[in-house]
Amino acid sequence: MPRILIVGGGYAGFYTAWKLEKWLRAGEAEVTVVDPLPYMTYQPFLPEVAAGSIEPRHSVVAHRRHLKKTTVITAKVTNVNHATKSATITPAVGEPWEFEYDHVVVTAGAVSRTFPIPGVADQAIGLKTIEEAVAIRDRVLTNFDKAAQLPAGPERDRLLTFVVIGGGFAGIEVFAELRSFASSLLKSYPQISFEETHFHLIEAMGRIMPEVSLETSHWVIKNLSQRGAEIHLDTQLTSAVGGKIELSTGESFETDLIVWTAGVMANPAIVRHTDLPIEERGRLQVRTDLRVGTEDVIIEGAWGAGDVSAVPDLSGGGVGGFCVPNAQHAVRQGKLLAKNLVATIRGEGTKEYLHKNLGAVAGLGIGHGVFQSGNLAIKGLPAWFAHRGYHGLAMPSWERKIRVVWGWVNNFFLGRDIVSLSAVQDPRAVFEEYAARPKPPAAAAPAAAPAVEAKAPRAPRKVAAKAAPKKDAAQTVADKREAAAVSAK
């Protein structure tokens, strides 16, 4: 029976496995998914998770719950050697082992792409994982708690200043959601005024959101400006050392939260450890039918999709002729890849990937959104409903859809949950602080060398002198006479 190895359980990997379960006949192939995380993250929801609008666990999909016929391995693939059709699987605990396959599907996704700007690696946080989104939410809440107890001054300003780097869809969405989140918190923190909260977005280009028209992007800037957020265009971050932001315009201010959304790159853990062909931008080289190779050369038994792959965009809308790295393409590529893989196993022909986006939709905080389809632009509340409607339906599985929509309904009536769980980063701190520990054994006294103790001399005993016996008178006269005679001689 053919063995199919799927490297990565994100959008493309999860949907490939999900559809293979549906389309493969019993006993037709054995499918294995390897990913260091036991879940798929629905990344379009990360800005709302960061703003407390969605429960974090509701925006992820557990592999083992929804992949019933697939072998799920929670580990890393650290090398793919297609010449021998084997992959090295390295678990968190235990020794690595070799996995032999007949077909490999590389869907390892992407990671944040950064530049060697001083301080970014030490101070900034990305927005590619659910853990990052939760940490951003907790940081905002914790900073409000701290700032509410401080007098006006530099430290209070630093805690209430929030910075986002990158003006693409992800950057604008998290920036707008955080502005909305902070505004909603003010009623719970009467010590903090609206004017004391500062939001800055830094974009190196002369515009934001290239997926929408220039006019629509100007409306977004104006909307955010009216809500107390500042966007710096044609501006580069030059330093973030110690949380001090220095810009190419000469401006400088301090912050306690820097969110980095300025681009992604193919997962280097895979593309740097494989003999499969990699194109000049560091992505897996993939054909239009999602097989690895070029239009003239096919690497048999190797497939790729999602952000890790350079998939040609036949619609003509891609940057440089390739599909842009987003959720829409990854989901659809995963579905087609599963169909083509099944067709190949059965000796049938494959189909080319062709998808033309009908439009772009973004949420900009509660009640604010934007939708662009061709020359049609919808802004404000209707676009916000369109955003939630689209992503609510796009969330995989009805179980997840219901949880997400039910959470939105709860928030409408009850408001956002504003509890910070930042202590979860060090969950044993309180236990360790008060835990009783055994007392250290008493130190034994050092053994002394045997020695004879010198005794102090005793004081002489005083003995009362006895009175001499009295002499009689005759004896006394005799003694005197004898003494006189001796003297005379």
Side-chain angles (χ1 to χ4, degrees):
M1 183 163 47
R3 304 180 78 188
I4 300 172
L5 172 64
I6 301 176
V7 181
Y11 286 118
F14 175 82
Y15 271 93
T16 298
W18 209 21
K19 296 306 178 181
L20 284 174
E21 290 191 347
K22 178 180 178 180
W23 294 324
L24 283 171
R25 302 187 188 108
E28 195 169 15
E30 174 187 319
V31 182
T32 301
V33 171
V34 182
D35 193 285
L37 298 174
Y39 52 78
M40 182 212 86
T41 302
Y42 190 73
Q43 293 185 9
F45 280 157
L46 293 183
E48 289 197 63
V49 171
S53 295
I54 294 180
E55 169 63 29
R57 284 185 176 85
H58 295 171
S59 62
V60 299
V61 182
H63 291 152
R64 298 179 188 274
R65 177 163 186 168
H66 296 281
L67 299 178
K68 302 294 186 181
K69 303 175 185 178
T70 302
T71 300
V72 177
I73 299 176
T74 305
K76 294 181 179 180
V77 173
T78 52
N79 186 66
V80 175
N81 187 344
H82 196 63
T84 60
K85 288 196 172 181
S86 66
T88 304
I89 297 178
T90 304
V93 179
E95 296 298 321
W97 77 89
E98 296 299 313
F99 184 97
E100 295 183 353
Y101 60 80
D102 296 286
H103 295 270
V104 63
V105 179
V106 181
T107 54
V111 300
S112 296
R113 181 194 63 185
T114 59
F115 306 103
I117 300 172
V120 167
D122 301 318
Q123 301 293 327
I125 183 171
L127 192 67
K128 291 291 292 178
T129 69
I130 191 67
E131 292 82 4
E132 289 173 326
V134 172
I136 292 169
R137 181 202 64 184
D138 288 344
R139 178 70 65 85
V140 173
L141 289 168
T142 301
N143 282 9
F144 266 71
D145 287 331
K146 293 178 179 177
Q149 313 306 319
L150 293 175
E155 180 61 15
R156 184 177 170 113
D157 287 342
R158 185 183 72 87
L159 292 171
L160 295 177
T161 298
F162 307 98
V163 178
V164 174
I165 311 297
F169 251 66
I172 288 295
E173 284 193 302
V174 72
F175 183 64
E177 289 285 356
L178 290 179
R179 174 66 271 183
S180 175
F181 186 31
S183 297
S184 71
L185 289 175
L186 294 175
K187 60 180 178 292
S188 300
Y189 293 87
Q191 306 93 333
I192 300 174
S193 66
F194 179 86
E195 291 73 20
E196 290 181 288
T197 59
H198 310 287
F199 284 80
H200 299 270
L201 184 137
I202 316 300
E203 170 53 48
M205 305 298 290
R207 61 164 298 176
I208 61 171
M209 304 174 72
E211 298 86 349
V212 303
S213 67
L214 187 60
E215 181 183 355
T216 301
S217 71
H218 288 165
W219 180 88
V220 173
I221 294 174
K222 181 179 178 181
N223 176 270
L224 289 170
S225 177
Q226 291 171 345
R227 293 159 56 190
E230 185 176 356
I231 295 179
H232 305 257
L233 297 178
D234 292 316
T235 304
Q236 295 180 353
L237 175 69
T238 59
S239 177
V241 175
K244 183 178 180 180
I245 299 295
E246 295 183 8
L247 305 179
S248 57
T249 58
E251 294 176 83
S252 177
F253 48 86
E254 294 192 8
T255 179
D256 192 52
L257 177 61
I258 305 170
V259 182
W260 182 275
T261 65
V264 297
M265 65 179 181
N267 191 336
I270 297 300
V271 297
R272 295 176 185 174
H273 300 92
T274 181
D275 58 351
L276 294 170
I278 306 299
E279 50 96 56
E280 59 273 10
R281 295 191 61 185
R283 297 172 296 179
L284 190 67
Q285 194 167 12
V286 174
R287 294 160 40 93
T288 53
D289 62 358
L290 304 179
R291 286 185 285 187
V292 175
T294 65
E295 293 304 313
D296 300 323
V297 179
I298 299 175
I299 307 297
E300 295 291 344
W303 305 76
D307 297 354
V308 75
S309 301
V311 180
D313 190 347
L314 298 180
S315 70
V319 178
F322 295 99
C323 296
V324 296
N326 63 23
Q328 290 188 41
H329 283 305
V331 168
R332 288 168 174 81
Q333 289 168 11
K335 293 178 181 179
L336 179 64
L337 194 157
K339 283 185 178 180
N340 284 347
L341 184 48
V342 171
T344 301
I345 291 174
R346 296 173 182 170
E348 301 171 358
T350 60
K351 295 182 179 179
E352 294 183 326
Y353 176 74
L354 172 60
H355 171 68
K356 187 173 183 180
N357 290 334
L358 296 178
V361 61
L364 304 175
I366 302 296
H368 301 271
V370 62
F371 171 78
Q372 181 86 45
S373 179
N375 294 326
L376 174 65
I378 302 175
K379 312 176 186 73
L381 186 61
W384 179 74
F385 277 116
H387 170 265
R388 284 207 161 179
Y390 172 78
H391 287 297
L393 291 173
M395 185 71 179
S397 85
W398 282 104
E399 176 255 340
R400 292 286 110 174
K401 296 181 201 293
I402 292 172
R403 289 182 188 274
V404 169
V405 174
W406 185 245
W408 283 335
V409 173
N410 285 339
N411 285 353
F412 179 79
F413 290 103
L414 305 176
R416 309 185 215 209
D417 194 327
I418 61 170
V419 175
S420 169
L421 297 178
S422 58
V424 76
Q425 305 298 327
D426 190 10
R428 296 187 65 251
V430 176
F431 179 82
E432 286 185 277
E433 182 179 358
Y434 297 104
R437 292 177 171 81
K439 294 182 179 180
V452 177
E453 184 179 353
K455 294 182 178 180
R458 292 182 178 181
R461 177 186 272 180
K462 293 182 179 180
V463 179
K466 293 183 177 180
K470 291 182 178 181
K471 297 179 180 181
D472 55 19
Q475 182 65 37
T476 302
V477 172
D479 291 340
K480 288 181 177 179
R481 286 178 179 175
E482 183 177 358
V486 172
S487 175
K489 289 180 179 182

